[in-house]
Amino acid sequence: MYSTRVEVTVEKKVLAGEIRVEAESASDIGSFHSYTDRTSGIQNGHSGGAYITGYDVTGPFTLNYTFESPTAQQMTLVIAGASHYQMSEDFVFGTDGIIKLHDQVVTPAGEAKIESNQQMGAPTVEVTIGTVNVLAGTNTFAIEFPERAPALDCFRFLPIA
């Protein structure tokens, strides 16, 4: 008798009060590639219908987003992403990217990074960037990549209890 193991990928549920911004919803993804399958790249339950990967990002590029918040509040920004299969070095958010909320630079926690893996199907990780001030109404969010970029699934703005 043979036993078959079936791996089920379950999408992480949106928490009460969470504002989730899908990486693939950027106004322009430039040289990023968008993927919807769960058989290569981000496999571990990517959020929404897709994810983007930056293996072709080799020069300056900015992803721009807008999102709505019902109230002004402090929130914790968490970035969900993965190493892409050609990523030979860790991607450290504090030195390899610039994160802005309302044109104000957000300083990531020192350990905020996605470790290199160089395999198809690198596991999705959640990286805590830090506390940010979200405005009531429309918010603008951008992440700049001077030279390279990881794979990105979503940006989670989590309420602080």
Side-chain angles (χ1 to χ4, degrees), residues 60-84:
F61 188 74
T62 302
L63 294 170
N64 293 292
Y65 302 90
T66 60
F67 65 91
E68 299 292 323
S69 176
T71 60
Q73 57 188 314
Q74 281 196 325
M75 302 185 89
T76 301
L77 172 58
V78 174
I79 297 177
S83 172
H84 62 70

Side-chain angles (χ1 to χ4, degrees), residues 30-32 53-61 84 86 145-149:
S31 56
F32 277 86
T53 183
Y55 66 82
D56 272 343
V57 174
T58 58
F61 188 74
H84 62 70
Q86 294 177 340
F145 301 96
E147 296 179 9
R148 62 193 191 98

Side-chain angles (χ1 to χ4, degrees), residues 68-112:
E68 299 292 323
S69 176
T71 60
Q73 57 188 314
Q74 281 196 325
M75 302 185 89
T76 301
L77 172 58
V78 174
I79 297 177
S83 172
H84 62 70
Y85 77 96
Q86 294 177 340
M87 201 166 101
S88 61
E89 297 175 16
D90 293 350
F91 184 89
V92 180
F93 285 93
T95 57
D96 296 326
I98 300 167
I99 301 168
K100 293 182 180 179
L101 185 61
H102 317 298
D103 291 323
Q104 301 295 312
V105 174
V106 175
T107 303
E111 66 279 0

Side-chain angles (χ1 to χ4, degrees), residues 141-152:
F141 172 71
I143 183 164
E144 300 174 12
F145 301 96
E147 296 179 9
R148 62 193 191 98
L152 298 168

